[in-house]
Amino acid sequence: LTVCRPSTAPANSADAMAVCIGFKGASPAHLEALRAAVAAPASPDPLTMIPKSFLAAQWVQQLKVCAQLLARLQLLHLQRALRLYNDLSSAERTDIYNSRDRAAQHWRARFECRPLASVQDRIVRDGLSAVS
């Protein structure tokens, strides 16, 4: 398992990808478990497609280890980002805010959008303006 950042991700982004090297496909036992799960009646848990009993314990343990690793890496990345943000000088913060404003102006001009004047101008779920 290799964790890497996409080359297109901004430097301050938390984006990361987990790349599994050496995967040779599902074993016949796993494929049979998947087939049986799909053919089985609906699981009592609506969020679960495949009952845990169909999965090999070793495989579930590997998933847990990967999830713990990725959670730890994300925590480290967020701690680093917060530390860097808190240590910014006033000039660096001003530069970031100015860059944000320039980007917003660019996208507003490109898509002919107007800035929101108030909370009432926000879009509601049905896609209509909150103000009639």
Side-chain angles (χ1 to χ4, degrees):
L1 174 70
T2 301
V3 178
C4 61
R5 291 180 41 76
S7 60
T8 56
N12 61 351
S13 168
D15 292 348
M17 299 177 90
V19 179
C20 299
I21 298 173
F23 179 70
K24 306 231 185 310
S27 70
H30 284 121
L31 288 176
E32 188 54 42
L34 288 171
R35 280 190 205 98
V38 171
S43 171
D45 181 355
L47 300 177
T48 305
M49 186 177 107
I50 301 170
K52 186 176 177 181
S53 61
F54 285 125
L55 304 174
Q58 180 183 7
W59 187 73
V60 171
Q61 182 59 34
Q62 287 175 342
L63 287 179
K64 287 180 182 178
V65 169
C66 286
Q68 291 168 347
L69 170 67
L70 293 175
R72 191 168 56 250
L73 289 173
Q74 184 177 30
L75 175 65
L76 291 172
H77 181 80
L78 290 172
Q79 288 172 334
R80 179 180 176 271
L82 286 171
R83 189 178 66 251
L84 291 174
Y85 178 79
N86 290 331
D87 291 341
L88 290 175
S89 69
S90 178
E92 289 170 318
R93 284 180 199 267
T94 300
D95 186 46
I96 287 173
Y97 294 146
N98 289 339
S99 294
R100 178 199 60 196
D101 292 342
R102 283 191 306 273
Q105 289 170 359
H106 166 78
W107 289 105
R108 281 196 311 257
R110 180 173 176 182
F111 294 107
E112 299 176 5
C113 298
R114 63 176 176 78
L116 295 176
S118 69
V119 173
Q120 285 75 30
D121 284 343
R122 293 186 180 172
I123 304 298
V124 293
R125 274 192 311 226
D126 62 1
L128 302 174
S129 174
V131 177
S132 313

